[in-house]
Amino acid sequence: MNCGTFDTCSAPLCPLDPTSLENSVWFPGEAICTRQGTEFAKKQRRLMRKGIKHDTCFTFTMIERLWSISVGTSGINPEYEKAEVEPTWMKNHPPKPKVSNEITKRRRQTMANLLLSKKKAGIIEATAPTTPSDVLSVPGPVGGA
């Protein structure tokens, strides 16, 4: 395996072990994969920071599906068979909706117009861009990426 801690790691879900991803569950508070850049490990850390109940568990598929994690996020009851309760959980947690480029463009234009109106009203600094095209050319979340 291409991981220096694979043989000694105690994380129940490992991206290098397909068997663990398919058959294991993870409880908030258990070990998390230490490999850098694994998106599901980032989600596990977010679940732990939010103080998610330790008496519910998550499968790899469930963690992958999560896109909004809040204090109210919960896993499944470990007393039931995963095959019985996971489909219901998945139905109640739809995948992140896709946003078209057109919608993104409209949202950016709306934000640009909002920033300009705030500038004109004196709410933000005068050094802010002065036209919508100036705002949209600014790198970052509002302007072009």
Side-chain angles (χ1 to χ4, degrees):
M1 297 287 171
N2 193 16
C3 177
T5 61
F6 181 78
D7 294 327
T8 58
C9 183
S10 61
L13 297 177
C14 173
L16 299 176
D17 182 9
T19 304
S20 78
L21 298 180
E22 195 173 303
N23 301 321
S24 299
V25 295
W26 175 79
F27 289 84
E30 287 187 315
I32 297 173
C33 176
T34 57
R35 276 185 64 112
Q36 297 297 317
T38 57
E39 189 62 34
F40 88 95
K42 292 176 187 176
K43 290 179 183 181
Q44 287 175 300
R45 283 190 276 284
R46 283 180 32 216
L47 285 164
M48 288 183 47
R49 278 196 308 270
K50 293 288 183 177
I52 304 303
K53 295 183 210 172
H54 294 306
D55 61 346
T56 63
C57 61
F58 295 85
T59 64
F60 174 74
T61 309
M62 292 166 62
I63 293 170
E64 285 286 294
R65 173 72 65 96
L66 287 172
W67 57 277
S68 175
I69 297 173
S70 67
V71 175
T73 303
S74 65
I76 57 176
N77 187 334
E79 294 180 15
Y80 295 100
E81 286 294 321
K82 180 174 75 168
E84 293 176 27
V85 292
E86 187 179 36
T88 303
W89 189 96
M90 297 295 270
K91 181 180 173 187
N92 293 332
H93 297 82
K96 185 174 184 173
K98 301 282 186 213
V99 178
S100 70
N101 289 339
E102 182 59 34
I103 291 173
T104 301
K105 188 176 178 180
R106 269 189 276 145
R107 288 179 181 172
R108 286 183 176 164
Q109 185 64 50
T110 300
M111 290 305 296
N113 292 338
L114 178 64
L115 284 173
L116 290 175
S117 65
K118 285 184 175 185
K119 179 187 176 280
K120 289 176 184 175
I123 298 172
I124 59 175
E125 296 178 20
T127 59
T130 55
T131 67
S133 61
D134 290 342
V135 172
L136 291 174
S137 66
V138 174
V142 174

